[in-house]
Amino acid sequence: MDFSYILNSALPQKEKLKAFGFLEENGFLCLKKKIADGEFYTIIRLSEKSFTAEVFETLTDEKYVLFDVISANGSFVGQIRSEVKELIEEIRGKCFDSQDIRQKYFDFLHTDLSAAGDSPWADEGDVTSSVFRCPNSKWFALVMKIKFKNLGFESDEEVWVVNLKADVEKIPEITDKKSIFPAYHMNKKYWITVLLTAVTNFDQLCDLTRRSYELVSVKK
């Protein structure tokens, strides 16, 4: 099962991982852990670009393939998945560093672009989304909370993102689908979505935001 989406919102700390029990093996940090009262075990592998878990039967060392079959249901496979996900969350909590740069980004918008956010959908119960506008009242940045699965990952975890306008010809080359994605809930030809997370290049984010401001400010 692929948990690589976590690398988009948190930074692994090698020494903490080793203290947790991870060992270096063929370019990966690996952890072997018993689950299901020892009848199975999971092997978790971490690299710079991937974070995965596999499950094996203890007696035969054969891979438990149902673990990776999304359509597979049942209480037992559900229990196995639950135990592995709890272990992954424990590892993330103890061995990864997360940073919410949303407030830092808000400060940049206020000081660099003199933009104060407003919440146009507050009357509808959405108090998390903030819109930042140019002097012409058109918005150039939309900060909101969405689920990872809205960006193509298999996770219901909520993350902060910002939608920005970008140069049409540059969008294909800057959307790496790690920190910059085709726009969520917007016209993907003109807009992008950037993750406001620890691995986001803040200087690049500021440059993209300034460009969005310029594009929206253009008088036609």
Side-chain angles (χ1 to χ4, degrees):
M1 185 173 289
D2 192 359
F3 295 94
S4 299
Y5 68 86
I6 290 175
L7 300 176
N8 289 315
S9 60
L11 299 174
Q13 304 301 302
K14 190 172 183 179
E15 294 306 315
K16 291 181 180 180
L17 288 161
K18 287 185 174 181
F20 193 89
F22 278 81
L23 301 173
E24 294 193 56
E25 180 181 310
N26 299 323
F28 289 86
L29 283 171
C30 301
L31 176 72
K32 181 178 179 179
K33 196 84 169 179
K34 292 181 179 179
I35 57 175
D37 296 325
E39 294 183 14
F40 291 78
Y41 63 89
T42 181
I43 294 181
I44 298 171
R45 292 184 176 89
L46 173 67
S47 70
E48 290 185 1
K49 298 182 179 180
S50 65
F51 190 24
T52 61
E54 295 178 299
V55 172
F56 301 84
E57 294 187 41
T58 301
L59 289 179
T60 63
D61 288 326
E62 291 184 359
K63 187 175 180 180
Y64 182 55
V65 295
L66 289 180
F67 175 72
D68 294 308
V69 179
I70 298 176
S71 60
N73 297 313
S75 58
F76 185 72
V77 68
Q79 175 194 338
I80 295 292
R81 287 182 184 142
S82 178
E83 288 192 37
V84 172
K85 288 180 179 179
E86 286 179 9
L87 177 59
I88 291 291
E89 287 303 315
E90 182 182 2
I91 293 169
R92 178 161 68 165
K94 294 181 178 179
C95 307
F96 284 67
D97 284 348
S98 299
Q99 179 185 358
D100 181 4
I101 66 168
R102 183 168 54 100
Q103 188 56 54
K104 182 180 179 181
Y105 183 57
F106 281 176
D107 292 341
F108 158 77
L109 291 166
H110 292 318
T111 59
D112 195 276
L113 298 174
S114 299
D118 61 80
S119 301
W121 302 290
D123 291 342
E124 300 174 18
D126 181 1
V127 295
T128 61
S129 299
S130 298
V131 169
F132 295 84
R133 305 176 187 273
C134 297
N136 60 11
S137 296
K138 294 182 179 180
W139 65 267
F140 66 92
L142 167 61
V143 176
M144 56 186 167
K145 184 183 287 186
I146 66 174
K147 292 184 177 181
F148 251 133
K149 66 181 181 182
N150 295 132
L151 298 177
F153 299 101
E154 293 180 6
S155 171
D156 285 324
E157 179 182 349
E158 292 187 326
V159 291
W160 288 100
V161 301
V162 57
N163 277 7
L164 301 169
K165 196 168 188 178
D167 294 289
V168 174
E169 67 277 8
K170 293 183 179 179
I171 287 179
E173 66 182 68
I174 63 176
T175 49
D176 57 13
K177 296 186 179 180
K178 295 178 181 178
S179 60
I180 305 175
F181 299 81
Y184 165 71
H185 213 57
M186 294 289 295
N187 189 326
K188 293 175 174 55
K189 181 179 179 180
Y190 301 102
W191 296 83
I192 57 175
T193 293
V194 184
L195 271 171
L196 297 178
T197 62
V199 293
T200 298
N201 182 320
F202 192 73
D203 290 336
Q204 181 189 31
L205 171 61
C206 293
D207 288 341
L208 290 170
T209 303
R210 293 189 187 99
R211 184 56 182 154
S212 180
Y213 185 94
E214 291 172 355
L215 290 169
V216 174
S217 296
V218 172
K219 294 182 179 180
K220 296 182 179 180

